[in-house]
Amino acid sequence: MINSESEDTDLVFYDENLCGLDPLFHVHCKLFIVDVLNLSPYPTLPVDDGTGIISCCVWKQKVETGDNDFRSFLPESLRLKTHTLHPEFSLGEMVHIRGKIKSYKGVNEIMINYITPVSSVSAELTHMLQSPYLYKTVYDQTLVLASEVQKLQLEANEIRTGLKPLENVMRELLAKITVFNIETIKEHDIMHRIQDSLGVHESLEYVESMLNKVLKQMERQGLICSRSDLANSKYESLLNPKADLKLLIMDIIKKEVYNGNEYGCSLMTLRSSLEKTSQYTDISDVAVNWCLDQLETSSNIIKITDTCFMPS
């Protein structure tokens, strides 16, 4: 950017003589905010073919009317043809479009380069005959709930089946131990609390099956992790503030920064270092992210960006 030499000011502007050289700045035009607010809206129109609705944008230039209308110099046959290039449509009218599929702000839409109304009765009848098939294959489907609703239903089922109270008991226990398995849990003499949380006094096999379900669920949440160097289906509790994984993550971040990386330790570097150890070759992203969140909450590390961390 170049300072204007004609005015004694600290403001920085593009010189008028340079406009057009930069592909982003073709025209020198000073606008006030009200000028921007009064610009024409994004030219879109929704199109529905019976299977869904998609937004379409039309970038055709408006045709002038009156004395400056270029069509007045054309032969009548061509003049009538040009009227079809810029048709106006009403709601519910059938049209034929052709264009390119593009994505704008993460939403797919069609950039139209050809659009014309459909006046053929046979075309409308053909579409009407397709409607029952479209209804059967598109609309008449089993309802799939949104992910947020599914999550709420899952939590309700957990509470109803006793998994949530059992998880609360396990959270309290796992905050005090580091490495464990089912046998370790039995040694802590909390089986009576587990049975109370389930609301029934079933056989030991049933209790163990419920414990395995809870442990798998906690592993998916990143609260515990399996380790490559431990046998007998042992887990590491990440709820413990002194969990080995948390301490190792802290050491890796400190070593990376002390080695001269002023931008901190990246998540990719952290993952690569963990996978080289004998304990965490198959560590999940969920477990790593859980430990990073806990370390940041306890002010042991500072998140510089979404993927870079430094010791506090």
Side-chain angles (χ1 to χ4, degrees), residues 120-135:
S120 172
V121 178
S122 60
E124 293 195 33
L125 290 175
T126 301
H127 183 74
M128 291 174 63
L129 292 174
Q130 289 178 333
S131 295
Y133 172 77
L134 296 176
Y135 177 82

Side-chain angles (χ1 to χ4, degrees), residues 275-295:
E275 290 172 356
K276 292 177 182 178
T277 64
S278 59
Q279 309 99 299
Y280 306 109
T281 54
D282 298 321
I283 190 68
S284 65
D285 292 335
V286 180
V288 175
N289 291 332
W290 164 264
C291 290
L292 288 171
D293 289 340
Q294 294 300 303
L295 290 171

Side-chain angles (χ1 to χ4, degrees), residues 199-230:
V200 292
H201 293 275
E202 297 286 349
S203 63
L204 185 61
E205 290 78 9
Y206 174 79
V207 174
E208 288 187 2
S209 67
M210 296 299 288
L211 276 174
N212 284 319
K213 288 182 180 180
V214 170
L215 292 178
K216 291 297 182 183
Q217 179 175 290
M218 297 179 75
E219 187 175 13
R220 288 193 297 269
Q221 296 173 355
L223 305 179
I224 63 176
C225 69
S226 56
R227 287 178 41 166
S228 309
D229 61 332
L230 299 177

Side-chain angles (χ1 to χ4, degrees), residues 45-50 87-97 114-131 134:
L45 57 96
V47 175
D48 181 358
D49 71 343
E88 294 183 358
F89 304 103
S90 57
L91 184 63
E93 186 174 2
M94 180 173 288
V95 295
H96 178 219
I97 65 173
Y114 168 81
I115 180 170
T116 185
V118 176
S119 57
S120 172
V121 178
S122 60
E124 293 195 33
L125 290 175
T126 301
H127 183 74
M128 291 174 63
L129 292 174
Q130 289 178 333
S131 295
L134 296 176

Side-chain angles (χ1 to χ4, degrees), residues 11-287:
L11 300 178
V12 179
F13 296 95
Y14 278 96
D15 193 286
E16 291 186 41
N17 298 326
L18 298 180
C19 288
L21 298 180
D22 190 323
L24 296 180
F25 298 93
H26 293 287
V27 179
H28 184 274
C29 180
K30 181 179 179 180
L31 295 176
F32 293 98
I33 294 178
V34 67
D35 298 321
V36 178
L37 296 177
N38 290 333
L39 291 175
S40 299
Y42 191 66
T44 61
L45 57 96
V47 175
D48 181 358
D49 71 343
T51 63
I53 300 176
I54 190 168
S55 180
C56 301
C57 58
V58 185
W59 294 105
K60 290 185 177 182
Q61 298 290 334
K62 291 184 178 180
V63 178
E64 296 183 358
T65 58
D67 297 336
N68 294 326
D69 188 353
F70 71 91
R71 293 176 295 187
S72 60
F73 303 99
L74 297 176
E76 184 178 358
S77 58
L78 292 178
R79 187 165 62 250
L80 295 175
K81 184 64 176 177
T82 59
H83 282 282
T84 64
L85 298 177
H86 304 271
E88 294 183 358
F89 304 103
S90 57
L91 184 63
E93 186 174 2
M94 180 173 288
V95 295
H96 178 219
I97 65 173
R98 183 169 59 241
K100 297 180 180 179
I101 300 175
K102 67 183 189 72
S103 179
Y104 178 70
K105 292 184 177 181
V107 179
N108 290 333
E109 62 182 19
I110 299 177
M111 186 169 62
I112 295 177
N113 53 34
Y114 168 81
I115 180 170
T116 185
V118 176
S119 57
S120 172
V121 178
S122 60
E124 293 195 33
L125 290 175
T126 301
H127 183 74
M128 291 174 63
L129 292 174
Q130 289 178 333
S131 295
Y133 172 77
L134 296 176
Y135 177 82
K136 182 178 179 180
T137 57
V138 179
Y139 292 114
D140 190 18
Q141 298 294 321
T142 304
L143 176 64
V144 179
L145 298 176
S147 57
E148 294 82 3
V149 179
Q150 291 180 2
K151 185 177 179 180
L152 291 174
Q153 278 195 338
L154 180 61
E155 292 177 354
N157 291 335
E158 290 171 0
I159 296 174
R160 185 168 58 252
T161 58
L163 291 183
K164 195 65 176 181
L166 179 56
E167 181 183 324
N168 293 334
V169 175
M170 293 300 299
R171 279 174 175 261
E172 183 180 342
L173 171 64
L174 298 182
K176 304 174 184 177
I177 61 178
T178 304
V179 177
F180 69 96
N181 59 8
I182 298 291
E183 298 302 322
T184 308
I185 295 173
K186 293 178 182 178
E187 294 172 2
H188 282 77
D189 193 25
I190 65 166
M191 297 303 291
H192 64 283
R193 289 190 58 191
I194 292 176
Q195 288 182 326
D196 290 341
S197 68
L198 293 174
V200 292
H201 293 275
E202 297 286 349
S203 63
L204 185 61
E205 290 78 9
Y206 174 79
V207 174
E208 288 187 2
S209 67
M210 296 299 288
L211 276 174
N212 284 319
K213 288 182 180 180
V214 170
L215 292 178
K216 291 297 182 183
Q217 179 175 290
M218 297 179 75
E219 187 175 13
R220 288 193 297 269
Q221 296 173 355
L223 305 179
I224 63 176
C225 69
S226 56
R227 287 178 41 166
S228 309
D229 61 332
L230 299 177
N232 300 324
S233 301
K234 285 192 174 182
Y235 296 93
E236 178 180 338
S237 170
L238 304 181
L239 292 166
N240 192 321
K242 298 182 179 180
D244 294 340
L245 179 58
K246 292 181 180 179
L247 299 177
L248 181 57
I249 288 176
M250 277 294 304
D251 290 340
I252 294 173
I253 293 176
K254 289 180 179 178
K255 186 180 296 184
E256 184 70 15
V257 174
Y258 294 159
N259 287 339
N261 191 340
E262 58 183 0
Y263 300 104
C265 178
S266 67
L267 188 58
M268 184 179 297
T269 301
L270 178 61
R271 288 282 311 177
S272 177
S273 300
L274 290 174
E275 290 172 356
K276 292 177 182 178
T277 64
S278 59
Q279 309 99 299
Y280 306 109
T281 54
D282 298 321
I283 190 68
S284 65
D285 292 335
V286 180

